[in-house]
Amino acid sequence: MVAGMIQSHPRISKAVIPAAGLGTRFLPATKATPKEMLPVVDKPAIQYVVEEAAAAGLDDVLMVTGRNKRPLEDHFDRNYELESALNRKGDAARLAKVQESSDLATMHYVRQGDPKGLGHAVLCAAPHVGDEPFAVLLGDDLIDPRDPLLQRMIEVQEQHGGSVVALMEVAPEQIHLYGSAAVETTTDSDVVRVSGLVEKPDPADAPSNYAIIGRYVLDPAVFGILRKTEPGRGGEIQLTDALQQLAADEKIGGPVHGVVFKGRRYDTGDRGDYLRAIVRLACEREDLGPDFRTWLRRYVTEEMQQP
Ligand code: G1P
């Protein structure tokens, strides 16, 4: 090491993706298929999330899964039978698509057992993560790769230490669907200091319209807090409640900051938003977009007008 050089902290390399939910909003599609495997255009939703982690340099991905989630493991593994069939046909383009998902990151899996909430899912990652900061990515939120968010959050964590959440301003009548943050400005226009957090507040009690969207970079001190966190909203152990404790007492695990995201986010968590996400992404695709946009325009202006 060069004399006088400041020892930099280890680069964040681990991502945790909770994926144990039952996906009841998408029944019957999710009866035997994990909701994370539902296609968004032609890729399973979860692949976008793993791609985002990999693009931010997180090459160690732990998925917290549950019953009926075997297809997730298969999707990120090699499929030799399919690969050799495509090889024999000389179909290099499709072969590349098959191999893409198994080459993204080193994948690990742990099962949650009892679905006791997001906080509990994150706690299941403790033995794998150890004593280093790590990222959490929720599968229902897709962040457009053209508007990188996680990289910025990692930068902010490296600068300030502690934990960082992703925030987005939402309409007041939407805030009850999210964790809401009390914030103070900082000298960086896209960074706020988080002084408090409430999970899914009634609009009248919301500290602000800043909603947590599903990206976090967390100090490992969160595990100690989660072990002691009682069930909160919906009778579940809430990650937001543990973060509230970190925000309230900086001595535990450093400060909590928020990166205010103004880019493109697609919600695949409910059916209407899922359909909107597919239409938007399909419209923007270079291969499918031109034809699809022409059809959509005609459908909206002509066919939809007919009684
Ligand atoms: C979870 C979190 C919530 C956050 C949201 C983002 O809620 O508990 O704080 O705002 O994800 O998508 P869920 O949507 O899983 O109920």
Side-chain angles (χ1 to χ4, degrees):
M1 201 167 108
V2 181
M5 199 171 115
I6 300 166
Q7 175 97 52
S8 61
H9 21 210
R11 204 182 61 80
I12 297 175
S13 63
K14 290 180 182 163
V16 173
I17 303 181
L22 296 174
T24 48
R25 282 188 272 187
F26 285 85
L27 282 168
T30 47
K31 184 179 173 190
T33 301
K35 69 166 176 172
E36 294 79 7
M37 289 303 293
L38 296 181
V40 175
V41 189
D42 52 5
K43 257 194 291 192
I46 194 74
Q47 188 174 333
Y48 290 87
V49 181
V50 175
E51 283 174 357
E52 182 190 336
L58 310 176
D59 48 19
D60 177 309
V61 173
L62 174 75
M63 265 189 207
V64 184
T65 67
R67 286 164 48 78
N68 296 333
K69 300 289 181 165
R70 267 287 303 279
L72 291 173
E73 298 188 28
D74 290 341
H75 184 71
F76 293 101
D77 198 357
R78 304 291 297 268
N79 182 336
Y80 291 105
E81 210 182 335
L82 186 54
E83 286 179 37
S84 66
L86 291 167
N87 240 328
R88 277 196 305 275
K89 283 199 210 166
D91 193 340
R94 292 208 170 93
L95 181 63
K97 284 190 181 176
V98 168
Q99 289 173 335
E100 217 172 58
S101 54
S102 49
D103 291 342
L104 282 171
T106 307
M107 304 296 298
H108 303 271
Y109 300 89
V110 62
R111 283 173 74 136
Q112 190 179 0
D114 291 332
K116 290 197 256 177
L118 177 58
H120 178 251
V122 171
L123 186 53
C124 294
H128 180 80
V129 168
D131 193 25
E132 49 187 272
F134 63 103
V136 174
L137 292 85
L138 306 188
D140 285 347
D141 292 293
L142 302 188
I143 303 294
D144 196 299
R146 292 166 293 182
D147 302 320
L149 167 63
L150 203 50
Q151 285 91 325
R152 179 67 182 136
M153 294 173 72
I154 291 170
E155 241 172 61
V156 171
Q157 199 282 337
E158 284 170 352
Q159 191 185 346
H160 297 280
S163 301
V164 181
V165 295
L167 298 175
M168 196 166 188
E169 247 184 308
V170 298
E173 60 275 16
Q174 294 283 309
I175 197 71
H176 71 282
L177 300 169
Y178 299 93
S180 165
V183 301
E184 294 153 18
T185 53
T186 69
T187 48
D188 283 322
S189 63
D190 64 334
V191 180
V192 289
R193 176 78 178 240
V194 175
S195 56
L197 289 154
V198 189
E199 177 67 4
K200 305 204 172 91
D202 293 333
D205 305 330
S208 76
N209 290 335
Y210 283 109
I212 306 178
I213 52 172
R215 300 293 179 272
Y216 309 77
V217 177
L218 299 176
D219 185 276
V222 75
F223 294 131
I225 297 183
L226 281 170
R227 277 186 199 103
K228 290 183 265 168
T229 300
E230 298 289 331
R233 266 258 164 205
E236 298 190 333
I237 297 172
Q238 296 292 350
L239 180 59
T240 306
D241 293 347
L243 287 171
Q244 156 60 22
Q245 291 200 43
L246 286 178
D249 185 356
E250 210 179 282
K251 289 193 292 296
I252 306 175
V256 179
H257 283 87
V259 167
V260 179
F261 184 63
K262 297 213 164 100
R264 286 158 282 196
R265 162 182 172 260
Y266 312 102
D267 186 345
T268 58
D270 87 4
R271 290 173 304 168
D273 288 333
Y274 170 75
L275 291 174
R276 282 184 273 278
I278 292 177
V279 171
R280 282 171 65 170
L281 288 167
C283 283
E284 288 170 15
R285 280 270 294 258
E286 271 176 32
D287 52 349
L288 300 166
D291 276 358
F292 186 65
R293 285 196 302 268
T294 308
W295 173 82
L296 188 60
R297 222 172 273 126
R298 190 162 5 101
Y299 178 67
V300 172
T301 53
E302 294 169 25
E303 291 179 47
M304 268 180 58
Q305 313 301 322
Q306 285 165 17

